[in-house]
Every structure is written in structure tokens, then in C-alpha cells.
Amino acid sequence: MATTPILFNDLLRERGIQPADVRLLRHHTDPGLDGQSLHDLWMRDREGFELYQRTQKANERLLRTGKIWAAFTSPTPGVSLFVGLYDARFEKTAVAEWDCPYRGDRPGRGDPVDLYATKLRPELAEHIGTLAVGWDPASIRSWKRYAANAPFVVESQIDAALPLIETLEDLTRNLMAFERLRSDPGDPERGSYLGFVQRGHCFLPYTTPDGIAFAPSRLLGYKENTLERHAANGGKDGRDSDPAIAGIVGSTYAESAELERAYRAFCGANGLSVHDRKRKYWPVLELSLSPRALPPRARFSVGALYTRGEVAEMIGLQTRRGGNWDTGYAQVDGEFFVFANVGSKGRTGHDYPNRWHGKQLIWSAKTGTRLGQSQIVALLSGEHPVHIFWRAGERERFTYAGLAAPLEVEDTTPVRVRWDLDPGPGRRIGADTSSAHNRRGPPPIAGARTTIYGDGPTSVYLLELDGPIAQLFPTLPEKSRVIKIGISNDPLRRVGDLSCGLPPGCALGWRIVATRLFPTGREAFDVESMLLERLRLNGWSLGGEFAAVSDADLARLTTLA
């Protein structure tokens, strides 16, 4: 039998409060000082949060006529967390004589605002920080509502804080869970997690196969934590979780110029802009992360070479000769692995007309396949990641082309598919790409081509040339840094493009120092032009987008502003 959902208004009535007297306030807006959210402000500075709340836009009738305010914050997108009932009484309209604790500017930009007297009520206090409601998705941007007209359902409730971590194993389990999330471009929660990385104040650095990574300590102090559990954990408090971490790592956090540089590079490699604030770091934790700890799609580097056996070993597959793994494609743990011969016969003697068309692969499935077969349906459903490995010669190793999506499907026997390759998500941050220098690309195609350039999010990037700079540039001042400033919609790919001209074993290489994301290419171009002009006027330019700067000048340039 279906149960009747509990409404927030039901809880009000149980305490003798009429919904008609209540106004619902869902506090969510653009990031404030240091990238903090309003939920962050509520967690860290209740007085500041209440000052922000009782300063409102002038002449808001909905607020002036309400006797009680029910306040909510949004710790993660889509979540509406109850943070208290307040008596609210309009006092006056006047110019605020203080700086907003959230944005740092004057409320109303110096214009008159409505000022209220508020006081936290005892009713529903036991639900503060533990109760979430289902705010109407159709009006999620409407931050204030009449309670009587908003029958919101109580969605979740946790009565107590999650238990604190107690052992290194507890801490490591959290780190590995969040590292798997970060490393998986297909995980729908990855963007939310990277938001914590971007906004954080305190980080635990840890080693990975690709270098040092950084996890926000606020997520690590509670056992078996997840983003969902973190959002619903009303008892979370850094004053509890930080000592728990300190007791395990044997130290506390502190500012570190070296780790700050590493953090900025880490953010750049993950496509994040860096907020200008002070950060603190725990000592680096040596974390043993084997490749099998990562999702399959995060283990392979686009352009790198693999044998079938190497791929099987990396995903923990026990193979035997003659099975599906040796004859074209197979499904393992919900992911497909396609091994395609392009322009050559396979091991079974079949010579399928597989070919490259630009960056799209036209590919034939196994002999006798047809649409409607269960494996073909699963392969083309879009519900399972499809990895493409290809080679031009029967005895060659396979080149990893990346994750693919079917663009066109021909109802033939065998089934033919045009795969669209997206190398970005398959590329691992900081992966060893030495084997990519041996990559054989698609064969050339003659004829006219039309290219359409679309506008969209674009990053300004700052790169540094690592290697024996003094020997290559003997006329530069001692300890000069050679840099490049440019724009790209994929800075990591751009680093790969610049490095393609370097032979294997070369001691030179470009590394990302900082990136800054803009909504459009034009905005990024304007900032890039300003920075390049600054380099020229200071006498640092080497020509084009290249310059030689000191350590101090490089540090100042990392803001890209």
C-alpha cells in the first residue's frame, strides 16, 4: 500500500503554525566571497547569514506580509535543506551601513533596502540541517514562496551526524571513492565534486598514478561519505572532522607555497579556474591507487598503444584464447571494448571494410549480426560506455581512440556503425603519453571540407616550458621562466597538440600553470589580448604568445586577470 507523503506544511500545522502566515525562502544565488555558497555562509557564520537574510530588496510585499520565514539553503544543486524558522518583522527602508557578509559590497549597491528584525523560533529546531524538501522544479529559481501555495514534500531526513572516521582505512576509503568520481568523465556527480575542489579552503593532497591530486577535507572526515550523504548530513562540522583527520595523518594543515602551486596546476588540468583566496593543506598522503581502483574509462590514454592482453589486465579480466575478447568486441562490467582492424584482416581472416572518415570510424560488427540482437541493442543503446581500439596492421598494437557514440547505424548483415569519437573524456590528467608519439592517425581524405566554428565556454591558459631552459635560451636572465598565454576550449588537448612536435625522450614539455574559464570565446580573447599586451609593455615578450618572466612575475600572472 502506497504511503501518503509528508508535507512541510503538515509539520507546521503539527506545531500550531498556519502555513498562511509563513513564507518560504530558498537561499541560492551566484557564488559570493571566495567562491562560497550561501549554504557555506550558513555553516560557517550564522550571524552573517542572518544579517544577509534580514536585508532584503525594498518593497517586497510577499516578505513584508509574512509573520514567519522558513529558511532553506542549497548545499548541492537541486537540494533544498531546511535551516530554521524565523519570526520576521519589517522595520524600515533605509540605506544599509554595513558590507554584505556574503558578497562584500553594500546591500542594494548603496540604494535603500528593506530591513527586518528576525529571531530564530524553537519550532522544528530538531530538523535544522537534517530535513530536505522537494522544491517545485518548475519554479526552482523562485527563491521566495507563500507556504500555503507550495505543498512541498519532505524528501529526506537524517536524525544524526554521520560517524567520524577513525582509521587510515576509513580515510583511504573516502579518498578512493572521490578519486574514482573525479577520474570518471561520465559520472553525473563529477561536476558537483569539482565544485567542492574549486571552492574549498582546506585540502588533503594525495598521490595518484598521474601525480598529486587534492581532495577537500570537508568531505573526508565522515565514514563512507558521498556527495548525497554530505548534503543530508546536518551535523557536519569542520570543528569535529578536522581533528579526526589530524589524528590519523599525525599533523594539522597549514599554508604551503609549494602545494599551492601544485593545487593551481591540478585545477588547470581539470578545467577549473582558481579563486583568489588563502588555502591550507595537510601533508601529502601516499595513497596506493592501482589502475584497477579507477573506472575503466579513466585508465586509458587517447593515442596510447595497447595489446588486447594489456587492456584485459588493466580492467582485471581473466581471458582465454578463442573467446569474444579475441574476435572483435566484448562487454565487460557494463562497458564495451571494440578492437577494430582498419584496412587489414583480423585474426579470424575476415576483412571488414572498416575505415576512418575524418575523426569518425565506419565499422562493421561480427559476421551474421543484425539489428535486434541483444548484444547489438546494448552496444548501440548509449547506456554503456564504448571504448574504441584500432590498428592498421594485424600484428600491430592497438591505438586507443577514446569513447565513442553511434552517429549512424545501417540495418545490414553484418550491422554497420558510424562511430563519433570524443577523445577528451578518455584522456587521463597527467598520463604518460610517450607512446602517443607513435600514433598513426586516420588516413588523409581528399576533397573540400567545411568547418563550422561554434562559440561557447573558452579558457585563457598559462603554460610553462619545463626543461633545460638555460641551455636553450642562453641570453635570457638566470632563472627565467618561458611561458605561453593563449585561449582554448580544451587546454589539456592544447598541451597535447603543442607536445606532439617533440620527439620521444625529449626533456622539454609544456605544463599547465593556470586556466581561467569564460562564457564565450570573445571574452577569453579580450583577456588574452590584454595579457599579451602587458607582456609586451613590460619587455617580457619573446614574440607571439611567448614570454620570459621571473618567478615573482609568473606568480602574479597566475590570476590571469
Side-chain angles (χ1 to χ4, degrees):
M1 180 181 295
T3 59
T4 302
I6 299 175
L7 304 182
F8 184 74
N9 285 347
D10 295 335
L11 301 182
L12 294 175
R13 293 188 184 96
E14 288 177 0
R15 303 303 172 90
I17 300 173
Q18 294 303 313
D21 294 330
V22 179
R23 305 295 180 260
L24 308 180
L25 280 65
R26 184 177 188 269
H27 296 291
H28 66 97
T29 186
D30 295 332
L33 289 171
D34 294 335
Q36 70 176 333
S37 68
L38 282 166
H39 180 74
D40 293 331
L41 181 64
W42 175 76
M43 287 289 295
R44 296 173 183 153
D45 181 3
R46 298 292 169 88
E47 290 184 2
F49 173 82
E50 291 176 359
L51 176 60
Y52 171 88
Q53 180 176 246
R54 64 175 181 260
T55 309
Q56 297 290 340
K57 181 180 177 181
N59 301 315
E60 288 282 359
R61 183 176 182 277
L62 183 149
L63 298 180
R64 285 191 180 187
T65 57
K67 299 177 182 179
I68 301 172
W69 291 352
F72 298 82
T73 63
S74 181
T76 57
V79 175
S80 301
L81 186 70
F82 175 66
V83 296
L85 278 179
Y86 291 84
D87 284 323
R89 176 174 53 83
F90 171 71
E91 288 192 319
K92 62 181 178 180
T93 300
V95 174
E97 298 181 354
W98 56 84
D99 290 336
C100 173
Y102 182 63
R103 293 193 176 91
D105 57 2
R106 284 299 170 97
R109 298 183 178 180
D111 294 333
V113 292
D114 278 358
L115 304 178
Y116 290 81
T118 63
K119 181 180 179 180
L120 186 66
R121 294 175 62 105
E123 294 91 347
L124 303 185
E126 70 276 16
H127 296 302
I128 290 176
T130 67
L131 182 147
V133 303
W135 202 275
D136 180 11
S139 60
I140 198 69
R141 302 299 300 176
S142 299
W143 67 273
K144 54 186 185 299
R145 300 288 300 271
Y146 292 97
N149 299 334
F152 293 156
V153 174
V154 174
E155 287 190 333
S156 61
Q157 183 172 345
I158 295 179
D159 295 328
L162 294 174
L164 294 167
I165 58 174
E166 298 175 333
T167 66
L168 180 60
E169 183 180 358
D170 293 336
L171 178 59
T172 300
R173 185 180 294 111
N174 280 345
L175 275 175
M176 293 183 68
F178 288 119
E179 173 61 16
R180 282 194 293 270
L181 191 159
R182 182 194 70 82
S183 303
D184 189 348
D187 195 304
E189 290 190 322
R190 182 173 185 265
S192 296
Y193 173 70
L194 290 178
F196 280 96
V197 174
Q198 185 181 44
R199 298 190 301 269
H201 292 267
C202 181
F203 295 91
L204 179 64
Y206 58 98
T207 58
T208 75
D210 302 326
I212 295 179
F214 293 81
S217 61
R218 63 189 299 187
L219 296 176
L220 303 177
Y222 297 92
K223 287 185 177 181
E224 299 183 355
N225 206 8
T226 65
L227 294 188
E228 182 178 2
R229 298 185 76 185
H230 181 79
N233 181 10
K236 56 182 177 284
D237 192 326
R239 291 170 295 183
D240 296 326
S241 58
D242 285 351
I245 296 174
I248 294 171
V249 302
S251 180
T252 188
Y253 47 74
E255 293 182 24
S256 167
E258 180 180 0
L259 289 174
E260 175 69 16
R261 288 192 295 269
Y263 166 80
R264 288 175 175 269
F266 175 75
C267 286
N270 283 275
L272 302 175
S273 59
V274 179
H275 293 306
D276 187 15
R277 65 167 63 160
K278 290 184 178 180
R279 280 168 283 269
K280 296 182 178 181
Y281 304 92
W282 303 88
V284 178
L285 181 65
E286 296 291 333
L287 182 64
S288 177
L289 268 176
S290 68
R292 294 185 188 180
L294 302 176
R297 71 186 75 185
R299 301 174 194 167
F300 307 111
S301 299
V302 171
L305 303 178
Y306 304 92
T307 65
R308 275 190 176 93
E310 289 170 339
V311 174
E313 182 179 358
M314 292 178 71
I315 64 174
L317 177 66
Q318 298 294 324
T319 63
R320 62 178 185 273
R321 294 188 63 83
N324 286 337
W325 189 257
D326 288 331
T327 56
Y329 51 91
Q331 185 178 14
V332 180
D333 293 335
E335 307 207 13
F336 279 95
F337 297 83
V338 175
F339 297 91
N341 291 288
V342 178
S344 65
K345 294 182 179 180
R347 290 187 177 183
T348 61
H350 294 91
D351 187 6
Y352 298 114
N354 299 331
R355 71 180 190 275
W356 285 102
H357 184 78
K359 292 187 177 181
Q360 297 170 1
L361 177 65
I362 299 175
W363 170 84
S364 295
K366 297 173 185 177
T367 301
T369 54
R370 62 184 185 276
L371 291 181
Q373 292 176 335
S374 58
Q375 189 178 43
I376 294 297
V377 170
L379 177 68
L380 303 177
S381 67
E383 298 177 359
H384 307 279
V386 178
H387 302 267
I388 300 291
F389 297 82
W390 73 280
R391 65 184 178 186
E394 181 183 353
R395 298 300 177 185
E396 294 182 4
R397 302 170 80 193
F398 290 89
T399 298
Y400 181 55
L403 291 170
L407 280 181
E408 297 177 1
V409 179
E410 294 184 26
D411 188 5
T412 58
T413 301
V415 174
R416 296 188 70 195
V417 182
R418 182 191 293 266
W419 294 106
D420 185 31
L421 274 300
D422 180 8
R427 193 190 303 269
R428 288 191 293 128
I429 304 304
D432 177 8
T433 56
S434 58
S435 59
H437 291 282
N438 298 321
R439 178 173 183 264
R440 297 179 60 179
I445 298 175
R449 301 185 187 183
T450 300
T451 302
I452 300 175
Y453 294 92
D455 197 9
T458 305
S459 293
V460 178
Y461 60 77
L462 170 62
L463 308 182
E464 180 185 5
L465 186 62
D466 272 346
I469 302 301
Q471 287 82 0
L472 291 169
F473 300 88
T475 61
L476 292 180
E478 187 178 358
K479 297 184 178 180
S480 291
R481 304 288 192 95
V482 175
I483 63 169
K484 180 183 186 299
I485 289 177
I487 60 174
S488 174
N489 62 4
D490 187 345
L492 187 61
R493 186 205 66 224
R494 183 61 178 141
V495 171
D497 293 342
L498 291 169
S499 300
C500 279
L502 301 174
C506 179
L508 287 175
W510 290 100
R511 73 174 185 90
I512 296 176
V513 177
T515 64
R516 183 181 173 193
L517 187 64
F518 293 87
T520 66
R522 182 68 204 189
E523 292 172 80
F525 174 81
D526 290 341
V527 172
E528 177 204 35
S529 300
M530 177 269 292
L531 292 169
L532 293 175
E533 181 65 5
R534 184 187 302 172
L535 297 178
R536 185 187 69 82
L537 293 175
N538 287 331
W540 301 336
S541 177
L542 296 175
E545 298 177 341
F546 303 92
V549 299
S550 66
D551 286 347
D553 295 326
L554 178 62
R556 283 189 285 269
L557 284 168
T558 56
T559 62
L560 294 175

